[in-house]
């Protein structure tokens, strides 16, 4: 396959890197925070509500806005697949009231650690650098311009999160890159 860059090492970026590896790509992961996965640490009051243990229709009924947008993604990777993934990475899970799924340890750090171990086993470089812009190249590839260097790849996955929680790195900076 090819090489790709993932910008952002939160939940989406770590999962995207893992999925790309499974497809045969090589991956470089870029994260501006010193400690990737910060937002995972605060989910579920520090316990990381991984998913909900229910069927697709029930799951989508609980999505507040535009659940149809998520239908194809959750059809391809549903709650059972998410649970199997984390248990396969060595994180035993438990189901609590309301079908909420947490690590048995009640530690969100176990989820982050499992995702990192999976990437480290595959020798994925996780580089600390703030990406400032993405430059499309004439050959269809991209250059991610960071504060500390430039990184080129045929494909870039922009997983910078929204603007929901700036203290965790979710500043909305990726919106401008995506728009450009």
């Amino acid at each position: 396959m090819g090489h790709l860059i993932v910008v952002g090492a939160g939940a989406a970026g770590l999962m995207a890197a893992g999925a790309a590896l499974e497809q045969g790509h090589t991956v470089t992961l870029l994260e501006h925070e010193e400690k990737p996965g910060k937002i995972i640490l605060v989910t579920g009051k520090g316990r990381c509500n991984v998913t909900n243990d229910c069927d697709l229709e029930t799951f989508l009924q609980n999505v507040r806005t535009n659940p149809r947008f998520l239908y194809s993604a959750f059809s391809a990777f549903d709650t059972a697949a998410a649970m199997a993934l984390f248990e396969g990475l060595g994180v035993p899970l438990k189901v609590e009231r309301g079908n909420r799924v947490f690590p048995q340890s009640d530690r969100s750090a176990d989820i982050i650690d499992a995702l990192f171990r999976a990437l480290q086993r595959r020798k994925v470089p996780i580089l600390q650098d703030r990406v400032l812009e993405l430059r499309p190249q004439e050959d269809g590839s991209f250059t991610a311009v960071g504060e500390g260097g430039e990184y080129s790849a045929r494909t870039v996955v922009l997983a910078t999160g929204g603007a929901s929680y700036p203290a965790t790195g979710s500043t909305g900076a990726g919106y401008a890159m995506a728009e450009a």
Side-chain angles (χ1 to χ4, degrees):
M1 288 280 164
H3 180 71
L4 66 91
I5 294 169
V6 177
V7 180
L14 295 170
M15 294 289 289
L21 290 167
E22 292 299 317
Q23 296 291 320
H25 298 281
T26 60
V27 177
T28 298
L29 190 54
L30 300 171
E31 170 60 45
H32 72 278
E33 291 287 331
E34 184 177 331
K35 186 170 184 172
K38 278 175 83 173
I39 202 161
I40 299 171
L41 289 172
V42 299
T43 61
K45 297 182 181 175
R47 300 187 314 141
C48 192
N49 183 191
V50 175
T51 189
N52 282 45
D53 186 19
C54 56
D55 62 69
L56 177 62
E57 295 306 320
T58 303
F59 188 84
L60 292 175
Q61 286 173 4
N62 291 290
V63 174
R64 292 187 181 153
T65 56
N66 198 10
R68 289 189 352 224
F69 174 76
L70 299 173
Y71 189 84
S72 64
F74 284 115
S75 292
F77 190 81
D78 62 9
T79 59
M83 291 171 67
L85 171 80
F86 287 108
E87 289 183 332
L89 291 174
V91 181
L93 301 173
K94 63 182 176 179
V95 179
E96 293 186 357
R97 180 181 47 84
N99 292 325
R100 295 174 301 155
V101 178
F102 294 93
Q104 282 184 7
S105 66
D106 285 329
R107 292 174 17 104
S108 58
D110 289 352
I111 296 294
I112 297 169
D113 292 346
L115 292 169
F116 277 119
R117 278 192 310 271
L119 296 179
Q120 287 173 332
R121 280 193 297 272
R122 306 280 291 272
K123 299 186 180 1
V124 172
I126 302 172
L127 307 175
Q128 186 181 0
D129 198 353
R130 181 181 306 274
V131 175
L132 304 172
E133 73 175 303
L134 298 175
R135 289 188 189 145
Q137 304 301 309
E138 288 185 23
D139 66 356
S141 67
F142 292 88
T143 298
V145 180
E147 290 176 342
E150 294 187 359
Y151 314 88
S152 295
R154 183 82 183 148
T155 304
V156 174
V157 175
L158 193 56
T160 58
S164 61
Y165 205 155
T168 64
S170 294
T171 63
Y175 291 139
M177 281 187 271
E179 186 176 53

